[in-house]
Structures are given as C-alpha cells and as structure tokens.
Amino acid sequence: MNQVVSTETMAWPRIRTAGYDGFLVSFADHLSEPANRAALAFRAAVERAGWSGVEETSTSLVSTYLRFDPNCQAHDQMQAAINALLATHDWFAADLPDGRKLWRVPTVFGTNLAPQLEEAAQAAGLTVDQAIASISQSQVRVQTIGFSPGMPYLGELPAEWDIPRQTTLTSKVSAAGLCVALRQLVLFPVATPTGWRQVGQTAFRLFRPDQDQPFVLRPGDEVLFEPTSPEKLEAMQKDANGGASCEVIS
C-alpha cells in the first residue's frame, strides 16, 4: 500500500543557523496544528536527548530553537545530531510532550469588561451567543509563549475565527484580558495596547516573577475558557489563579 505524503509537510522540516551558536528547526512557514505539534514534540525530544553543550531550547508557533556552546560541541556535529534526530520520527504526527495540563479558566464574555465581543462575533459571522459558545467550547492549545512575559498564543479556533487584527490599536486591554484574531486567542499578562479584539476578561495571573516557575502556562498546555458572571469574577480577584483549576492530561 502506497503511503500518501502531504504536500503541505513534504518540504519540511528545514534547519537554519541562528547566529554562531544556534539552530532554528522550522516545520512550516505558517501556523497549523501539525506544525505546532512537531515543534513542541521535537523540542521535548532534544531535551530528552541530553546532548552535551546544549544550553537553551524554546519553541515558536512552528519552530524549535536550540542554542549550544561551540566550545563544547562543534557546529557541524550539532547539525548532524539534529538531522539524525529529525530522521527518527514523523514529527507532524508525534505525540505531544508529557506533563501537559488542562486549565479551566473562568471568563466573563462581553459586558463592559470585554467590549469588543459583538464586533468580533460580527466579523466571524456569528451571533454573540454563538461566539461565546464557539470560544468557550474550544479546548485550545498553548502554541507558544511570547510578546510579553508569560503571554500565551492559543489555538486554533474554528475556521470562522480567521478574522484579521484591527487596523488601529485599542489603547489598553486590561491584564488577564482575552483577545481574538487569526483563529487564535491571546491572554494578556499585563495591561497593554493591542490590535486584537477583546472578547473576554479573566482574573488569571499569568506572570509570577516571585516564583520558581514565573510562567504559569507552558507550551503544549490546553485551556478551556468557561463562562462566568462579572460578580463571580470579582470574587476571584484575590486568588492568583483567578478561580482557574488544572489537571494533568499527559
């Protein structure tokens, strides 16, 4: 039986140098679930391999970054090790890393706390009630952490949420605000201007610099944003997790 090879993934992965002490292994040139899965799984495999000289690894939406000490491991040796590891799996179908958590985060959708819900719903071709149901019932993955400390990019949402960013900035979205664009959600750890539309508000404190693990969410974790009322959310403000709970899923 002939194996069907996806034209989307057959040209990938690609290895590029990143400075004299780094490599970037990319699995696509645009976001998709298989490419994000591959980046997360490959980083976990590099960590498990315990290669001498590797000083840092991280992931973006579709790539794994590796930084190494050239005094410990020659450049061509590290590239050879990367190539050999890439050849061991179909990374686009690999298992996601162990230790992932599912977070359930109470969220107020709409109201004056998240005033762009109606606008975002209209852009997606949905009613407000349909928009709330669509987002709150989507178990989204933390695809990467970026932009500001501990800030997750989450997705992917259903196709109707492939809506563009705004052409102008909202002057400020409050900390723990939930925003949408491009089939993704972002949850802001601090108040910030943004071109993403705010559809929800949580009380979840994402960045905790006083703790050993300052970023609460990790790439590969999953999140459900569960509807709650403004009154209940206000009562959760004193809790660092903002009423959120978690369970290990792998």
Side-chain angles (χ1 to χ4, degrees):
M1 181 176 179
N2 294 330
Q3 183 179 6
V4 177
V5 179
S6 168
T7 57
E8 181 180 356
T9 60
M10 64 187 303
W12 303 89
R14 297 176 185 172
I15 304 174
R16 288 170 282 187
T17 57
Y20 71 93
D21 62 348
F23 286 99
L24 187 70
V25 182
S26 297
F27 294 90
D29 58 4
H30 63 278
L31 177 62
S32 68
E33 193 282 332
N36 180 250
R37 171 182 292 269
L40 294 172
F42 187 71
R43 180 198 181 186
V46 170
E47 293 282 335
R48 287 195 303 271
W51 293 334
S52 176
V54 173
E55 297 187 335
E56 177 186 3
T57 65
S58 63
T59 55
S60 64
L61 292 173
V62 298
S63 301
T64 299
Y65 170 71
L66 179 154
R67 183 172 63 84
F68 67 101
D69 180 357
N71 294 314
C72 183
Q73 189 80 270
H75 194 276
D76 59 347
Q77 290 176 320
M78 184 58 69
Q79 184 164 356
I82 291 171
N83 274 310
L85 183 58
L86 284 171
T88 63
H89 283 80
D90 174 5
W91 295 99
F92 299 98
D95 291 337
L96 289 166
D98 293 336
R100 298 181 306 118
K101 295 178 180 178
L102 169 62
W103 288 87
R104 301 177 187 275
V105 181
T107 306
V108 173
F109 289 95
T111 75
N112 63 328
L113 296 177
Q116 294 173 296
L117 173 62
E118 185 173 355
E119 178 184 341
Q122 186 175 12
L126 303 171
T127 66
V128 168
D129 287 345
Q130 287 171 335
I132 294 171
S134 177
I135 293 174
S136 65
Q137 293 170 16
S138 295
Q139 186 167 311
V140 288
R141 181 189 303 160
V142 179
Q143 299 163 321
T144 191
I145 300 291
F147 184 72
S148 61
M151 179 176 138
Y153 286 76
L154 303 131
E156 289 181 294
L157 290 171
E160 56 265 31
W161 288 107
D162 192 13
I163 63 176
R165 301 179 186 91
Q166 302 172 113
T167 56
T168 58
L169 288 178
T170 299
S171 59
K172 186 174 76 170
V173 168
S174 58
L178 183 67
C179 297
V180 65
L182 307 170
R183 292 187 68 182
Q184 293 175 282
L185 296 165
V186 290
L187 190 60
F188 286 101
V190 295
T192 186
T194 182
W196 297 54
R197 292 175 175 86
Q198 186 179 9
V199 295
Q201 180 64 49
T202 78
F204 194 23
R205 187 156 63 90
L206 295 168
F207 179 46
R208 306 177 192 181
D210 56 331
Q211 297 187 6
D212 291 339
Q213 296 290 337
F215 296 175
V216 179
L217 297 179
R218 311 292 292 176
D221 284 351
E222 299 185 12
V223 183
L224 280 167
F225 292 98
E226 300 182 334
T228 192
S229 68
E231 295 76 21
K232 289 181 179 178
L233 189 71
E234 178 62 29
M236 298 171 188
Q237 292 290 348
K238 294 181 180 179
D239 173 20
N241 283 341
S245 61
C246 71
E247 59 194 80
V248 175
I249 54 175
S250 70

